[in-house]
Amino acid sequence: MKISWEEVKKHTPCFLIDKELLKKNLEEFQEGILRYWGRGMVAYSCKTNSLPWIMSYIKELGAYLEVVSDTEYALAKKIGCEDSHIVFNGPTKGKEAFFLALRSGAYVNIDSKRELRWLKEYDKLGENAGVGVRVNFDLEAVCPEESLTEGGGNRFGYNVENGDFEQVVKEIRELKNISLTGLHMHTNSKTRSFQVFEELSKKVCSLAVQYDLTLDFIDMGGSFFVKKGEFHKIHEYIKRISDILRQRFCPDKTLLMVEPGSALISTPVKFLTKVLDVKDTNKHRFVVTDGGRMYMDPFMRKTSHVYKLFTQSSNKKEEQIICGHTCMEVDRLMTLREEREIGEGDFILYDLTGGYTMSLNPLFIEYFPDVFVEEKGEYEQVREKWGLEEYLQKNVYGQDGEVS
């Protein structure tokens, strides 16, 4: 059932998804690959926002789904994604799901010692399979000050410098029925610049030469940084990656894969909150809203937001500290200076709230909020706010130890 904006305002706090912008973001990645490489795929990073509607809609638009746990793998299958359209990453896969993925034709990138042991077990079954290997190398050596760990190194994948990568390649080649078919290059960086992706591409080429690798796919991972409407930047990422990879690989023989998360889902999502109270102290004015900081800033890092005020006031206030609904002092979303005065019953609409928000929303004091999809000015509810029934499910409680 479609409802109006006025009806949506009765459901605060709530997330609002711009359906057309989400589609546009995905299409730009798909078109970039088609234009600059030719053969490839976009695999949406489900951990970034695993709302079932988002995963299902992206799948319907032709994208694959990238998952990093047995639970996410099961979720992808539950919403109708074929195994062959799933990219299975991460260091904590379970053995049963790992074997299922190999047997069912999913793209599997190994990332741990036990997965290598499991490959040897699977090889004895006599079933053919191909796997990718996640690469770990010293990015700081070629892109100084880009590490998120301040020189502490990346903990994912098989390290090139210490010989682990070489050993994995050697052991896979000794198997009768398993082939090394791809490299997985995902890494996080501070700036997520073009240079980072150029260096990742160069590393693919150098490893292919050094170890004489013939690859069916190259998975460049995600961590792209694209501001709202900067569609040209998506194409620039793909162009720079492709220009380097073409020096060693042929698009007719090797698929190019990318795994965008926030670059797809951050910009199409907004978060709507309502003002519940305004309180003055001898220090500040505090504006209390029904949407807490952890709903849209789960890492507790942001000090400012892109926002829109819905208020009839034209008076300017020197300072207003916007707070959430919890009883924590740190639940302060932002400080407005020389902005229109906000009062009880007004609304604040925050933009750019799709990445890692719903996936990391806590069950703290209040439960998961409503989610609506907006299309042409109308709204459809795709998740109903959690209440007691949802919270109590599978819990033991009460004097009689009831299970709900």
Side-chain angles (χ1 to χ4, degrees):
M1 181 179 69
K2 303 293 181 66
I3 64 174
S4 67
W5 168 247
E6 292 302 316
E7 287 296 314
V8 168
K9 287 161 66 177
K10 298 177 183 178
H11 290 263
T12 60
C14 59
F15 287 100
L16 311 174
I17 304 170
D18 185 332
K19 186 176 183 180
E20 285 302 310
L21 181 55
L22 176 54
K23 180 182 179 182
K24 178 66 173 174
N25 285 349
L26 174 59
E27 288 176 342
E28 290 299 327
F29 274 101
Q30 292 171 326
E31 291 172 9
I33 290 176
L34 182 63
R35 178 177 179 181
Y36 295 108
W37 187 255
R39 296 174 64 243
M41 66 196 71
V42 178
Y44 170 62
S45 172
C46 294
K47 62 182 174 292
T48 311
N49 192 323
S50 57
L51 185 76
W53 182 88
I54 292 173
M55 292 172 59
S56 180
Y57 181 59
I58 287 176
K59 174 186 71 70
E60 291 172 5
L61 294 175
Y64 286 36
L65 298 179
E66 184 260 342
V67 302
V68 294
S69 70
D70 297 7
T71 302
E72 282 191 342
Y73 195 108
L75 177 59
K77 288 175 64 65
K78 184 69 173 178
I79 67 167
C81 189
E82 299 177 9
D83 293 84
S84 60
H85 287 192
I86 295 175
V87 180
F88 199 11
N89 292 331
T92 61
K93 308 176 187 74
K95 185 176 180 179
E96 184 177 343
F98 183 72
F99 274 38
L100 171 64
L102 291 175
R103 185 170 291 118
S104 303
Y107 286 86
V108 179
N109 290 310
I110 65 172
D111 197 355
S112 67
K113 290 183 177 179
R114 66 178 189 168
E115 288 173 79
L116 188 57
R117 294 198 306 268
W118 294 343
L119 275 183
K120 295 174 182 178
E121 292 181 36
Y122 191 88
D123 184 60
K124 294 177 181 178
L125 300 176
E127 300 177 21
N128 294 328
V131 295
V133 172
R134 183 161 182 178
V135 177
N136 176 312
F137 75 103
D138 188 1
L139 180 65
E140 281 282 304
V142 289
C143 293
E145 300 184 2
E146 281 288 0
S147 173
L148 294 178
T149 61
E150 303 295 341
N154 181 358
R155 72 183 182 94
F156 301 104
Y158 300 93
N159 186 252
V160 173
E161 284 79 13
N162 73 355
D164 277 359
F165 177 81
E166 181 175 354
Q167 183 63 29
V168 168
V169 172
K170 176 179 179 293
E171 292 188 35
I172 292 177
R173 282 178 166 164
E174 291 173 350
L175 303 178
K176 295 180 179 180
N177 303 296
I178 308 296
S179 302
L180 197 167
T181 55
L183 293 182
H184 182 209
M185 303 303 297
H186 178 74
T187 190
N188 291 308
S189 62
K190 288 182 179 178
T191 66
R192 294 174 281 178
S193 66
F194 295 135
Q195 182 190 359
V196 169
F197 285 87
E198 287 173 336
E199 293 300 333
L200 293 175
S201 302
K202 291 176 183 177
K203 179 57 69 172
V204 174
C205 293
S206 66
L207 290 175
V209 171
Q210 184 176 354
Y211 296 103
D212 192 25
L213 301 177
T214 300
L215 303 177
D216 293 339
F217 71 91
I218 298 169
D219 185 346
M220 295 301 299
S223 199
F224 302 95
F225 180 67
V226 182
K227 292 182 180 180
K228 197 167 191 173
E230 286 188 339
F231 302 121
H232 67 281
K233 194 170 181 180
I234 295 175
H235 284 237
E236 187 65 20
Y237 274 118
I238 304 301
K239 181 180 184 302
R240 295 196 184 206
I241 291 168
S242 299
D243 286 347
I244 293 173
L245 292 182
R246 282 179 180 275
Q247 298 173 19
R248 171 66 185 177
F249 299 95
C250 175
D252 292 336
K253 297 180 179 180
T254 305
L255 291 170
L256 175 62
M257 186 187 304
V258 294
E259 301 171 353
S262 292
L264 283 187
I265 197 58
S266 179
T267 58
V269 180
K270 296 182 174 65
F271 187 60
L272 180 65
T273 66
K274 185 177 181 178
V275 176
L276 303 180
D277 189 31
V278 176
K279 178 183 294 185
D280 289 313
T281 71
N282 65 319
K283 298 287 186 179
H284 302 286
R285 166 163 288 191
F286 295 98
V287 177
V288 181
T289 67
D290 58 8
R293 181 179 184 181
M294 288 185 290
Y295 279 144
M296 60 178 194
D297 181 22
F299 299 114
M300 307 286 275
R301 296 171 181 167
K302 296 182 180 180
T303 57
S304 63
H305 295 274
V306 178
Y307 66 91
K308 180 179 181 180
L309 301 181
F310 292 84
T311 177
Q312 297 299 315
S313 174
S314 58
N315 297 326
K316 292 292 183 69
K317 190 69 177 175
E318 181 179 353
E319 180 190 75
Q320 301 173 90
I321 300 176
I322 311 302
C323 302
H325 68 283
T326 73
C327 54
M328 301 189 303
E329 282 287 3
V330 295
D331 193 2
R332 306 182 184 200
L333 288 79
M334 61 181 178
T335 299
L336 303 184
R337 303 188 189 280
E338 298 299 331
E339 178 61 278
R340 287 182 296 164
E341 187 173 12
I342 309 170
E344 181 179 342
D346 289 337
F347 296 86
I348 305 176
L349 181 63
Y350 299 90
D351 203 356
L352 314 177
T353 60
Y356 295 99
T357 48
M358 297 181 216
S359 293
L360 291 173
N361 280 175
L363 293 171
F364 178 61
I365 299 179
E366 291 289 347
Y367 310 138
F368 297 148
D370 288 299
V371 182
F372 295 88
V373 171
E374 184 273 328
E375 184 177 23
K376 298 179 180 178
E378 294 185 313
Y379 298 83
E380 180 179 5
Q381 190 176 45
V382 295
R383 184 179 74 187
E384 185 178 344
K385 178 183 177 180
W386 270 34
L388 291 181
E389 182 177 347
E390 291 79 16
Y391 182 72
L392 291 173
Q393 61 187 329
K394 297 188 176 182
N395 277 274
V396 175
Y397 63 96
Q399 292 182 342
D400 299 325
E402 294 181 67
V403 178
S404 174

